[in-house]
Amino acid sequence: MTAKAAGAGAAGGRGIFTPELLDRCIACGFCLPHCPTYVRTGVEASSPRGRIDLMRALETGELPDDDPTVQEESSFCLGCRACEPVCPAGVQYGALLEEWRDHTWRRSGRRRLGRRLLLIGLLWGVDRRRRVRLMGLLRHHARASSQGDGPQLMLGCYERVLFPTVSRAARRVAPELRVDPGQGCCGALHAHNGDLGRGQELARELGRRLDGQIVSTAGGCAAHLAAVLGPDRVVELSAYLAGRDDRPAHPSLVLGSAAEPVAAPDPVPPQAGPAHQDGQTPSRAPGERSDSVDRPHRRPRIALQDSCHLRNGMGVFRQPRELIATVGEYVELPSASECCGAAGTYSLLRPRDSARILDDKLDEIEAAEVDVVVAVNPGCLRQLQGGLRRRRSRVRAIHLAQLLADAPGGAR
């Protein structure tokens, strides 16, 4: 008998949620200012506290499965878990959200038919190892031998298709990583999108195939794998590199807790560039970085977009900042720790809501006059690249592995 079923029998609930998870919330409201959807709407039901109230009503039968608010809020939530580091009661909101969607999204009916069809296609593509491998056959991801005793590099499913250079860059900065090209999906997509059981099963399958420690270049996948296999089996790339290299913290970085982002340095004042033929100095739009000819010897200004699950679920946020500071001038964005709107499949299922969140992020990136914004998760990278491209911004979005591999002396 599962913990959910046992708790349901004892308390008269429906067995949708694990009781000790659902009962932990004390309704203090510390989570409210950290929730992107609550901050933008001011609606209680769109906050972690309000959503847990909906979960409790669903568990007791006070609200039916097809209640419009229950359906909407399970989808409107980004699942960023920004509420977790600030919660004094230690609510595991991410686990509750997975249980909520596992129950509710299977019963969404025709009203959510479009979303269900999209999810069916996405999850079907990565549900079997052979399908994942077929998707990557034409892409030049890392294909090194699996010989040796180094850690195993997780290739990811859609990451190996969309960003095959990331795994190659990871091996350039850490040649000891082994690669098994036949590996499958870790199950994070399933777990976050209404199929928790299959998501956990895929994670265990991957854990059996990849022996020893697993290094991931995707923050969301790392958090999911660590939750299923244990934190000793899984490490994200920046944490692995920082621990392996034993590099000291960069002296310009004074880092606080996960809920306290680093203060951003003052922007570098714009400097005069070459004149147009009419003799006028060209103006620079806010956020447009200066060319290298303007300031030929300066270090690149580099910002970071945190992976929500990596930061809020695994507590990894110092390491990528310290690594970035070794190759450029690190610039902390005011909302670096806040979701970019990608949120796994969120940008596909709720593109308008995702775009609103992304627009705020892009405004900050351009105002900071950075040259590069770094991501540590493929979904974030896709989101940032798409947004910057639409704005025709000169800021580049790249993965941390690529930044380090391409830096002078970065590849080893």
Side-chain angles (χ1 to χ4, degrees), residues 289-290 298-301 369-373 394-396:
R289 64 180 176 87
S290 58
R298 71 180 180 91
R299 302 181 81 203
R301 289 169 56 81
E369 296 191 326
V370 297
D371 301 285
V372 176
V373 58
R394 296 173 66 188
V395 180
R396 288 192 307 136

Side-chain angles (χ1 to χ4, degrees), residues 239-253:
Y240 171 74
L241 293 176
R244 181 201 65 172
D245 294 346
D246 196 25
R247 294 174 178 173
H250 193 274
S252 66
L253 294 177

Side-chain angles (χ1 to χ4, degrees), residues 294-330:
D294 295 338
R295 302 167 65 189
H297 302 299
R298 71 180 180 91
R299 302 181 81 203
R301 289 169 56 81
I302 308 172
L304 172 72
Q305 170 59 42
D306 278 303
S307 159
C308 293
H309 282 222
L310 183 63
R311 181 182 182 110
N312 302 320
M314 298 186 73
V316 175
F317 61 98
R318 301 170 184 264
Q319 297 92 326
R321 287 164 168 79
E322 293 171 356
L323 291 168
I324 289 171
T326 65
V327 299
E329 177 189 349
Y330 177 69

Side-chain angles (χ1 to χ4, degrees), residues 264-272 282-292 294-295 298-304 328-334 361-373 388 391 393-396:
D266 294 332
V268 175
Q271 297 187 7
S283 60
R284 184 145 47 97
E288 183 180 55
R289 64 180 176 87
S290 58
D291 289 328
S292 58
D294 295 338
R295 302 167 65 189
R298 71 180 180 91
R299 302 181 81 203
R301 289 169 56 81
I302 308 172
L304 172 72
E329 177 189 349
Y330 177 69
V331 179
E332 178 80 8
L333 298 173
K361 184 77 63 175
L362 296 178
D363 289 343
E364 283 189 3
I365 291 171
E366 295 190 329
E369 296 191 326
V370 297
D371 301 285
V372 176
V373 58
L388 291 169
R391 288 197 179 193
S393 173
R394 296 173 66 188
V395 180
R396 288 192 307 136

Side-chain angles (χ1 to χ4, degrees), residues 388-411:
L388 291 169
R389 189 181 304 115
R390 286 191 295 271
R391 288 197 179 193
R392 298 185 177 181
S393 173
R394 296 173 66 188
V395 180
R396 288 192 307 136
I398 63 175
H399 193 280
L400 177 66
Q402 295 169 285
L403 176 79
L404 299 177
D406 293 341

Side-chain angles (χ1 to χ4, degrees), residues 1 31 65-66 115 131 138 187 224 230 260 293 301 372 375 387:
M1 180 178 291
C31 58
D65 295 337
D66 61 355
R115 183 184 71 188
R131 295 174 195 159
L138 299 180
H224 170 68
E260 298 172 351
V293 294
R301 289 169 56 81
V372 176

Side-chain angles (χ1 to χ4, degrees), residues 113-124 345 348-349:
L113 182 59
R115 183 184 71 188
R116 291 183 67 186
L117 290 175
L118 176 59
L119 284 177
I120 287 172
L122 288 171
L123 300 185
W124 181 89
T345 58
L348 301 176
L349 302 178

